[in-house]
Amino acid sequence: MPTLKYSRQRASIKEYLDGTVEHPTADMVYMKVKKQFPSISLGTVYRNLNLLADMGEIRKLSTPDGGDRFDANLTPHYHVVCSSCGKVYDIMLPEESIRHINESADVCFDGDIVSHDTLFYGICEHCKKGK
């Protein structure tokens, strides 16, 4: 892959994602970055998010509501989507649990399993309390 020219806008997007535990949509990233770069377009944010994901610098999560979410945490972990409010949370299971799922799936597959993505659904603590 050719070396990319430095982009202050892309760096700002990455910095925002690095500093949040939220799993923002492109629209949410756009609203945040627009404060620093008022002339930035939503298309530019989308392109840079997809580029960062393609480069492996962030994770792109496809959610059931059709909106992609973005996560800068690249350590192996899972996600849970609150069925009530739609917020996405990290679940940090032990790495041996993640490895065990890959190994179990590998037994049932005539190829080689190298990774997997699992999305859990539940009700977050905030919604559970009815607030």
Side-chain angles (χ1 to χ4, degrees):
M1 176 178 241
T3 304
L4 289 175
K5 182 179 159 190
Y6 174 79
S7 161
R8 290 184 315 140
Q9 293 172 337
R10 186 169 47 254
S12 179
I13 290 168
K14 178 72 165 76
E15 182 179 315
Y16 167 61
L17 291 172
D18 283 339
T20 184
V21 295
E22 301 290 321
H23 298 79
T25 63
D27 289 338
M28 294 163 73
V29 174
Y30 169 70
M31 295 306 293
K32 198 67 155 176
V33 174
K34 190 168 179 61
K35 293 174 185 174
Q36 185 178 0
F37 298 98
S39 63
I40 195 169
S41 71
L42 182 57
T44 297
V45 171
Y46 270 102
R47 277 190 300 279
N48 279 292
L49 286 168
N50 285 316
L51 179 61
L52 288 166
D54 289 346
M55 292 169 45
E57 291 191 28
I58 63 172
R59 289 174 70 179
K60 182 177 179 177
L61 311 168
S62 295
T63 59
D65 65 4
D68 291 328
R69 302 295 188 100
F70 298 90
D71 187 359
N73 181 354
L74 299 177
T75 60
H77 67 284
Y78 293 111
H79 296 94
V80 61
V81 177
C82 177
S83 300
S84 182
C85 68
K87 191 170 179 180
V88 179
Y89 296 88
D90 289 333
I91 297 179
M92 305 305 287
L93 292 176
E95 276 194 60
E96 58 268 9
S97 296
I98 296 171
R99 191 171 39 259
H100 176 71
I101 292 171
N102 283 342
E103 291 167 356
S104 296
D106 201 43
V107 171
C108 302
F109 180 64
D110 287 335
D112 291 319
I113 299 291
V114 293
S115 70
H116 68 276
D117 237 351
T118 300
L119 196 57
F120 293 95
Y121 301 90
I123 305 295
C124 71
E125 184 177 9
H126 182 78
C127 291
K128 190 174 163 182
K129 289 181 181 176
K131 294 179 182 177

